[in-house]
Amino acid sequence: MGFNDFCLAGVGERFENEDGSSRQEELARCQRGEHVLLLREPDNRHDPRAVAIISERGVKIGYLGRDRAAWMASKIDRGLPVRAIVDRIKGAHLPGSPLGIVVRINMDGDEPELDDAALPAHVLVGAAVRASASSLPNNVDRR
């Protein structure tokens, strides 16, 4: 991961787009590391500081949350070089689950970098529990 990279989760991924396209279908096409565009929507009727997340195929897949969007909108409006990629697709490992997005962002003009060593928290916790249980002496109750 780049030194100045950070991640933000998207919101609104379950809604359909104004043009009838499906955010869920587009999220299913997205791949980890794929570029996304953070696009200001100053004319958004719900929030004039809205920041949409657009896939590299040009389809809206969600928004930054309202609190983060206000902060990010000010950076985009001032011309900071904001770059973003797909960090992960939430729910992709659960068949039939609604999908969500987490984007990795860099505002220093660098490309965001994926941390290939990163694993989901539930995998890390499960591995830690298994490792600690396997390191117990044989005479210890493992219940």
Side-chain angles (χ1 to χ4, degrees):
M1 180 170 89
F3 180 71
N4 291 315
D5 293 358
F6 59 96
C7 291
L8 294 176
V11 299
E13 299 99 323
R14 293 183 188 187
F15 294 102
E16 298 295 312
N17 289 319
E18 298 82 13
D19 64 3
S21 60
S22 169
R23 295 178 189 177
Q24 288 292 299
E25 288 177 10
E26 185 62 17
L27 280 166
R29 292 182 191 101
C30 291
Q31 300 293 315
R32 191 163 191 256
E34 174 178 314
H35 286 92
V36 293
L37 174 65
L38 300 181
L39 180 67
R40 285 279 287 113
E41 288 188 353
D43 297 328
N44 184 300
R45 66 180 181 190
H46 301 289
D47 182 3
R49 295 175 297 191
V51 178
I53 305 169
I54 310 294
S55 75
E56 64 181 23
R57 287 164 295 285
V59 178
K60 186 184 304 174
I61 50 181
Y63 287 89
L64 295 181
R66 187 178 297 258
D67 59 332
R68 303 295 188 205
W71 174 74
M72 185 61 66
S74 71
K75 308 298 184 201
I76 294 170
D77 290 347
R78 288 192 318 221
L80 268 91
V82 176
R83 296 193 176 139
I85 59 174
V86 175
D87 184 74
R88 66 184 175 278
I89 301 297
K90 300 183 292 186
H93 64 291
L94 301 171
S97 176
L99 302 176
I101 188 166
V102 176
V103 294
R104 181 172 299 274
I105 301 168
N106 182 290
M107 295 189 308
D108 290 333
D110 297 326
E111 289 296 322
E113 298 175 15
L114 292 174
D115 181 3
D116 290 331
L119 293 174
H122 68 278
V123 173
L124 294 173
V125 170
V129 168
R130 285 189 300 279
S132 63
S134 66
S135 64
L136 292 174
N138 288 334
N139 62 349
V140 174
D141 186 359
R142 295 171 192 241
R143 285 183 270 160

